[in-house]
Amino acid sequence: MDYGFTTAAYVVAAVLFILSLGGLSSQENAKRAIWYGIVGMALAVAATLMGPGSGLWFLSIVLIAGGAVIGWQLANKVQMTQMPELVAAMHSLVGLAAVFIGYNAHLELGNVLAMTADEKHGLEGFAALLAHKSGVEIAILRVELFLGVFIGAVTFTGSIVAYGKLAGKLNSKAEKLPGGHMLNAGAAAISVLTLIWYFNTGGFFPLFLMTLAALFIGYHLIMGIGGADMPVVVSMLNSYSGWAAAAIGFSLGNDLLIVVGALVGSSGAILSYIMCKAMNRSFVSVILGGFGGTTGPAMEVEGEQIAIEADGVASALDEADSIVIIPGYGMAVAQAQQNVAELTRRLRAKGKTVRFAIHPVAGRLPGHMNVLLAEAKVPYDIVMEMDEINDDFPETDVAIVIGSNDIVNPAAQEDPNSPIAGMPVLECWKAKQVFVSKRGQGTGYSGIENPLFFKENTRMFYGDAKASLDQLLTMIQ
Amino acid sequence: MKIGAPKETFAGEARVAMTPDSAIQLQKLGYDCAIESGAGEAAGFSNAMYKDANVEVLKTGAALFKACDIVAKVRQPDATELKRLHKDQTLISFFNPAANDDGMEAAKAKGANVIAMEMVPRISRAQKMDALSSMANIAGYRAVIEAGNNFGRFFTGQITAAGKVPPAKVLIVGAGVAGLAAIGTSTSLGAITLAFDVRPEAAEQVESMGAEFVYLDFEEEQADGASSGGYASVSSPEFREAQLAKFRELAPDVDIVITTALIPNREAPELWTEDMVAMMKPGSVIVDLAAEKGGNCKLTVMDEKIVTDNGVTIVGYTDFPSRMAAQASTLYATNIRHMMADLTPEKDGQINHNMEDDVIRGATVAFEGEITFPPPPPKVQAIAAKPKDVVPELTPEEKRAAETAAFQAQTKQQVILLSVGAAFLLGVGLVAPASFMQHFIVFVLSIFIGFQVIWGVAHSLHTPLMAVTNAISSIVILGALMQIGSGSFLVILLSSLAVFMAGINIFGGFMVTRRMLAMFQKS
């Protein structure tokens, strides 16, 4: 097959990928759109195997098949609540693959440059491509593959740390080595120096040194970011994996890689932006980790937290006409989404209006709650965005907060000194009655006291969300 | 001052604007009362009864108009009556100002003040003078009675020695004042009563009257009636379809249909189509209270009762209140009396036409030689507080100015961004070779497409988006595939690993996305 065919296949694949992303504009279209993505990928891989990648194609197919078996297993076994971890872990694979490909490009480049003109003539595939490059082009190639390796390495360790934090294998608190951001800055400086070094010499050592620095940056940067900021981190890593693919595409001269890398990169960037906006924080402050400095002492919280038992909640629900449920990460942790869905079904069967209010940053990755509720077969037309439902709270009889904290914190609006001041929150305290299902009296992730728990119309329904709801379900028939 | 009520000139109109009882109340406000001879006859109030109540009985309408400072009427005045108006006289009557320019011009020319009873704002304070409601109440009651009159069976179900009688099934369309009155009458007669209204908040009122509310299988949010003064607004075609489908389902079952659906200043919507009439059982009755505005059923003939080929009686009378003249006159006269009480805060028999008062201002259509219709919106909000704060309306000029400013700011921002971007690109182009620029164009355009496409992604699909972008970012597999066949053992090893990992990612990513998307479902 000649080169023209491959390019044609790449064009079709690129269009399919764009359609695949664009199709996510609605739930119904999305089911079709995913097939566009799958066909696009199959086409791209097949065309590459037949065209420029035809060497050792049998080995390639065996490896892909092996990867397929593992990927298939993973995807089918994973619990919906573990979705964030899985996505983070898979980002690390892309990152590592990008590092390897970058190294290969470097090795090939070395081989080709060492050849004589006659030998170059007989080359095929990627090596042939390299052989045709002029001096300037080779310099650019070095920068490109250097960038590809750098971003890939940051993505790799970053994603592994994010995975560890999401899976609970690492402490989800923001942690930094002594030296803090200076270490990151130092590592970044080393990377820049090695870039210049590599640019001039083309040796392997600077590339390797930079890789180590980049791996460290990925690790340390993400370690310094707390659990609640994970939605931003995961979408940021998503973006990085795209940019890494694009950089690799440049160094290999492959337009499809560039297109897809840019699509994924911009997608992740937009998601990060949306998440940051939802938390009213700048991207930089999220990346630098922890919460920004406050300007004064936090408002004193007065009153006490009043506990309530399941029967009290049951009778209040019995009397209520309109109910809004606000799920958070706690629901995901307790795997309580099935119970929530069952509660919803029973209440709806009694003719009550039950809706869900989803804060844009509820959970640990964008749209986390939607996926969990969908898994539990909660119809998506009663699941509302913050903006859609915030005005309805004054007419709501009962608001149930299940495992969320900061996203329902009135301090964001009332206390200008609060670390989360100005962040848009769900105004559930305006409902006639609020029940908060929570494990204990402690503060949430951010360590901020939540005045909601002390409000007069708030009752604390202590206990593991799943156990509490189980108890509640026995009382609501 | 003297207040008087003439005999109604409209053919068949039996009501009168003043009863002996209301006259006594008016006298307590300090007014002298007068009545045209025989004005109350049709409603059962004789001249003698008025005389007993100290009401002066005048021979003719002309004399009454001449003698009185205030004239109270029921029906919209005709040309002769308008001619009889004189300067500073106050006329209180139904006036239909929206379609009675001639009447208002005449009043303006004469310098008379006109209070139109149908213009009384629908606010709590003005309910006591809301004649539309009191008349609608009668119409609703009478509609059921009229239906019963034409219906050959009991309303209530009975099991007797002579056999079992099934209860009648009554459907009432439109749960306004007339509809609710009809519901009350129908349920108290023992019929199974169903009711429908386009305003969802009516369901509670319907159920409180003992009827069953007919719910549609329709999700669209209907406009709250509170925003339009308690009246229904025009509904969307989809909603209408759902509504008609529901009615078609009910048509074969119901014995009596009473339609009361009116939209202010519009022809009555067609709600009971001919095919529904055809589906009904012989002997069924339709009472169309919207007959005056064209009818909710197109077969309705105004002011007449017809029987269709399949034996369905359709009643299109428009004079239900007049058919209960004694009751209607009592209520209407009381409304007038309350209006007079508001016009006479000092109870000294002198009118104080206070144009600052929301109710009086709203109802006045001609005042001191000026036409004062339509009235400004009332200062006090109608019926219920609106559920949401409305952003203050900007004038068209302000809006345009704001839009222009925003547009200019946007243009400026875009021009700056574009020029910086272009300068950067040119800078790159100066040093980079053509082969690089080729790829660079692709890169920049792809970022653009990415930005355009991703903004459209639904909020709830952000997780699937991450999963799918993760899956397609394993496109790096192409790089590894290209390298795997050329080079040393090390290259083969590294690219094999890359192919393997990307393989995991491709299948894992797409599978997970499909699993997630399969879970999204509508209720």
Side-chain angles (χ1 to χ4, degrees):
Chain A
M1 294 286 170
D2 60 355
Y3 195 60
F5 169 76
T6 319
T7 310
Y10 282 0
V11 170
V12 176
V15 169
L16 285 170
F17 285 137
I18 293 170
L19 286 178
S20 162
L21 294 185
L24 287 168
S25 54
S26 85
Q27 274 91 345
E28 300 307 320
N29 290 344
K31 287 170 193 171
R32 182 175 58 220
I34 182 80
W35 281 105
Y36 290 153
I38 293 172
V39 172
M41 185 60 80
L43 196 61
V45 171
T48 312
L49 279 177
M50 282 189 246
S54 52
L56 289 181
W57 61 270
F58 185 71
L59 174 65
S60 305
I61 289 182
V62 169
L63 287 168
I64 293 174
V69 171
I70 296 179
W72 194 275
Q73 292 276 342
L74 270 178
N76 275 321
K77 268 206 221 138
V78 68
Q79 297 272 338
M80 274 300 145
T81 41
Q82 293 169 334
M83 204 56 76
E85 291 122 84
L86 181 72
V87 173
M90 295 210 295
H91 284 149
S92 73
L93 293 180
V94 177
L96 193 57
V99 173
F100 286 170
I101 295 166
Y103 273 29
N104 277 341
H106 167 80
L107 294 172
E108 284 284 294
L109 188 63
N111 289 344
V112 171
L113 287 180
M115 287 178 187
T116 62
D118 281 347
E119 281 172 324
K120 282 185 186 176
H121 213 68
L123 289 171
E124 279 183 61
F126 177 57
L129 199 74
L130 289 176
H132 292 302
K133 288 197 184 276
S134 66
V136 184
E137 284 174 331
I138 285 175
I140 289 179
L141 176 72
R142 282 188 180 145
V143 178
E144 288 161 351
L145 75 86
F146 189 90
L147 274 178
V149 170
F150 177 79
I151 304 174
V154 171
T155 313
F156 174 59
T157 44
S159 299
I160 288 181
V161 173
Y163 164 77
K165 286 197 169 197
L166 289 168
K169 296 191 166 83
L170 291 171
N171 190 345
S172 79
K173 283 263 178 332
E175 276 178 5
K176 289 199 192 81
L177 296 175
H181 292 306
M182 290 314 292
L183 283 175
N184 286 341
I190 291 174
S191 303
V192 173
L193 288 177
T194 49
L195 171 63
I196 297 166
W197 184 1
Y198 180 70
F199 190 71
N200 289 326
T201 64
F204 179 72
F205 184 68
L207 189 64
F208 184 70
L209 194 63
M210 175 277 288
T211 312
L212 290 182
L215 289 174
F216 173 78
I217 292 177
Y219 163 79
H220 192 237
L221 196 64
I222 310 301
M223 274 310 277
I225 299 175
D229 285 336
M230 278 301 144
V232 182
V233 170
V234 176
S235 44
M236 180 185 85
L237 291 169
N238 186 358
S239 173
Y240 285 178
S241 70
W243 300 130
I248 294 295
F250 271 112
S251 47
L252 301 186
N254 186 319
D255 280 336
L256 183 62
L257 273 177
I258 298 176
V259 170
V260 175
L263 282 177
V264 174
S266 50
S267 151
I270 290 176
L271 280 182
S272 313
Y273 171 77
I274 293 175
M275 295 300 121
C276 285
K277 206 162 176 205
M279 294 196 292
N280 193 33
R281 302 185 52 198
S282 74
F283 188 68
V284 175
S285 75
V286 170
I287 295 310
L288 292 183
F291 279 98
T294 57
T295 48
M299 220 157 58
E300 284 292 310
V301 182
E302 287 173 3
E304 55 177 331
Q305 303 187 9
I306 306 166
I308 191 168
E309 292 300 316
D311 50 352
V313 180
S315 66
L317 285 178
D318 215 35
E319 284 161 20
D321 283 328
S322 76
I323 297 157
V324 174
I325 300 176
I326 304 161
Y329 189 53
M331 180 184 85
V333 172
Q335 294 271 354
Q337 68 270 28
Q338 296 291 352
N339 302 52
V340 172
E342 181 58 31
L343 180 68
T344 310
R345 268 190 287 279
R346 289 193 191 170
L347 291 173
R348 265 160 70 93
K350 290 182 168 191
K352 301 177 192 305
T353 314
V354 184
R355 290 180 297 173
F356 286 82
I358 310 292
H359 193 279
V361 295
R364 289 293 184 269
L365 88 169
H368 194 180
M369 291 300 121
N370 296 88
V371 171
L372 292 183
L373 293 175
E375 183 207 7
K377 300 214 177 342
V378 171
Y380 61 72
D381 38 5
I382 62 167
V383 180
M384 309 284 169
E385 279 177 47
M386 176 166 69
D387 295 342
E388 288 174 321
I389 205 164
N390 234 351
D391 291 333
D392 293 350
F393 278 112
E395 284 105 61
T396 302
D397 296 321
V398 172
I400 309 176
V401 178
I402 301 176
S404 38
N405 191 340
D406 291 342
I407 58 169
V408 292
N409 194 335
Q413 293 183 349
E414 293 164 2
D415 179 4
N417 290 333
S418 168
I420 58 167
M423 165 173 154
V425 288
L426 286 160
E427 298 165 349
C428 66
W429 58 90
K430 290 184 179 166
K432 296 196 183 74
Q433 224 173 353
V434 184
F435 295 114
V436 180
S437 170
K438 201 167 174 298
R439 259 175 294 188
Q441 282 191 333
T443 54
Y445 149 73
S446 61
I448 303 165
E449 198 62 84
N450 191 337
L452 171 72
F453 304 157
F454 300 90
K455 295 226 177 226
E456 272 177 21
N457 57 345
T458 304
R459 293 290 177 275
M460 304 302 291
F461 186 27
Y462 289 120
D464 174 76
K466 194 175 184 183
S468 305
L469 286 169
D470 271 337
Q471 211 184 345
L472 190 58
L473 281 173
T474 60
M475 296 176 199
I476 294 178
Q477 289 304 326
Chain B
M1 289 174 112
K2 188 177 269 186
I3 178 167
K7 184 174 162 68
E8 294 298 317
T9 51
F10 190 85
E13 180 57 67
R15 287 171 291 178
V16 63
M18 186 191 293
T19 61
D21 283 342
S22 80
I24 293 168
Q25 299 297 326
L26 286 169
Q27 284 158 16
K28 285 187 183 159
L29 291 172
Y31 291 101
D32 298 326
C33 298
I35 189 107
E36 184 182 343
S37 174
E41 212 68 63
F45 304 112
S46 66
N47 285 348
M49 288 162 80
Y50 282 106
K51 275 184 184 145
D52 290 345
N54 277 329
V55 180
E56 183 184 353
V57 178
L58 297 170
K59 280 262 158 35
T60 62
L64 182 118
F65 269 89
K66 203 168 177 190
C68 295
D69 307 294
I70 304 145
V71 174
K73 261 186 65 59
V74 182
R75 284 272 177 175
Q76 177 184 336
D78 60 18
T80 332
E81 286 170 326
L82 287 170
K83 263 187 216 149
R84 288 175 182 162
L85 290 175
H86 57 75
K87 192 166 163 38
D88 294 333
Q89 192 173 33
T90 302
L91 173 71
I92 306 176
S93 169
F94 280 118
F95 207 76
N96 192 19
N100 190 7
D101 288 334
D102 294 346
M104 287 190 290
E105 284 300 334
K108 177 185 167 187
K110 293 276 185 189
N113 306 331
V114 177
I115 293 176
M117 287 303 279
E118 61 267 79
M119 292 304 295
V120 170
R122 292 204 138 178
I123 59 179
S124 312
R125 181 163 70 83
Q127 269 179 16
K128 59 187 179 185
M129 35 196 145
D130 185 353
L132 280 181
S133 292
S134 57
M135 293 302 110
N137 183 13
I138 293 173
Y141 171 85
R142 185 69 187 189
V144 178
I145 301 300
E146 211 65 53
N149 197 14
N150 289 292
F151 183 57
R153 295 207 332 252
F154 286 141
F155 269 66
T156 181
Q158 294 177 3
I159 295 172
T160 72
K164 184 178 160 189
V165 179
K169 213 167 190 180
V170 179
L171 171 66
I172 288 157
V173 183
V177 179
L180 289 174
I183 291 168
T185 315
S186 166
T187 49
S188 54
L189 283 172
I192 297 176
T193 310
L194 307 172
F196 173 80
D197 197 287
V198 292
R199 299 162 300 145
E201 76 267 21
E204 194 181 285
Q205 299 163 12
V206 163
E207 277 154 15
S208 76
M209 297 294 289
E212 189 185 322
F213 191 79
V214 178
Y215 288 97
L216 298 184
D217 308 325
F218 196 75
E219 286 291 324
E220 184 188 307
E221 190 74 12
Q222 278 294 305
D224 191 339
S227 59
S228 50
Y231 285 107
S233 46
V234 184
S235 44
S236 69
E238 295 78 24
F239 183 83
R240 209 182 112 79
E241 275 315 304
Q243 185 181 335
L244 293 183
K246 190 77 196 176
F247 288 169
R248 267 187 203 106
E249 191 185 318
L250 293 171
D253 278 340
V254 293
D255 300 303
I256 294 173
V257 178
I258 295 173
T259 62
T260 73
L262 280 174
I263 300 171
N265 303 325
R266 290 177 77 104
E267 198 177 316
E270 184 184 9
L271 298 177
W272 204 258
T273 56
E274 292 181 32
D275 62 306
M276 295 178 200
V277 177
M279 272 187 249
M280 293 176 79
K281 288 172 283 196
S284 304
V285 181
I286 299 169
V287 179
D288 194 340
L289 285 181
E292 200 162 4
K293 291 277 180 82
N296 293 134
C297 174
K298 286 295 163 245
L299 295 174
T300 307
V301 181
M302 189 168 149
D303 290 323
E304 274 181 40
K305 180 173 90 179
I306 61 159
V307 180
T308 65
D309 294 340
N310 65 329
V312 177
T313 308
I314 303 179
V315 178
Y317 300 150
T318 57
D319 57 346
F320 289 101
S322 177
R323 282 166 184 264
M324 298 186 65
Q327 186 67 68
S329 301
T330 312
L331 296 181
Y332 186 69
T334 309
N335 291 141
I336 297 270
R337 196 253 297 167
H338 284 304
M339 175 61 82
M340 289 310 299
D342 267 32
L343 284 167
T344 326
E346 306 289 331
K347 300 192 180 173
D348 54 358
Q350 296 298 318
I351 271 196
N352 176 9
H353 206 122
N354 179 8
M355 291 294 270
E356 294 301 309
D357 183 293
D358 266 349
V359 179
I360 295 170
R361 172 66 193 91
T364 305
V365 296
F367 186 63
E368 292 179 345
E370 292 295 334
I371 291 179
T372 57
F373 176 84
K379 283 171 283 193
V380 182
Q381 259 306 328
I383 300 180
K386 286 195 181 167
K388 283 176 192 171
D389 296 339
V390 180
V391 182
E393 272 302 310
L394 296 171
T395 62
E397 289 78 36
E398 283 173 332
K399 250 187 219 167
R400 214 170 303 130
E403 270 166 23
T404 322
F407 180 76
Q408 278 169 348
Q410 216 179 6
T411 312
K412 201 172 151 193
Q413 199 191 356
Q414 280 189 359
V415 167
I416 291 177
L417 271 177
L418 282 176
S419 34
V420 170
F424 172 71
L425 280 183
L426 287 176
V428 173
L430 278 180
V431 290
S435 63
F436 174 78
M437 286 314 286
Q438 251 178 9
H439 293 310
F440 198 68
I441 287 172
V442 174
F443 178 66
V444 172
L445 288 182
S446 306
I447 293 179
F448 254 97
I449 294 176
F451 269 87
Q452 299 288 349
V453 166
I454 303 301
W455 281 120
V457 170
H459 224 99
S460 56
L461 289 177
H462 279 166
T463 297
L465 173 67
M466 303 252 302
V468 83
T469 50
N470 177 43
I472 67 172
S473 68
S474 35
I475 194 78
V476 290
I477 195 173
L478 297 196
L481 287 175
M482 283 166 70
Q483 293 169 336
I484 201 168
S486 55
S488 61
F489 171 73
L490 188 59
V491 173
I492 294 178
L493 178 71
L494 287 180
S495 41
S496 303
L497 280 172
V499 168
F500 181 65
M501 290 186 300
I504 296 179
N505 215 15
I506 292 176
F507 284 85
F510 279 123
M511 265 308 291
V512 155
T513 318
R514 288 207 53 219
R515 261 186 75 190
M516 278 191 264
L517 288 177
M519 291 176 326
F520 281 97
Q521 54 178 3
K522 239 180 168 154
S523 65

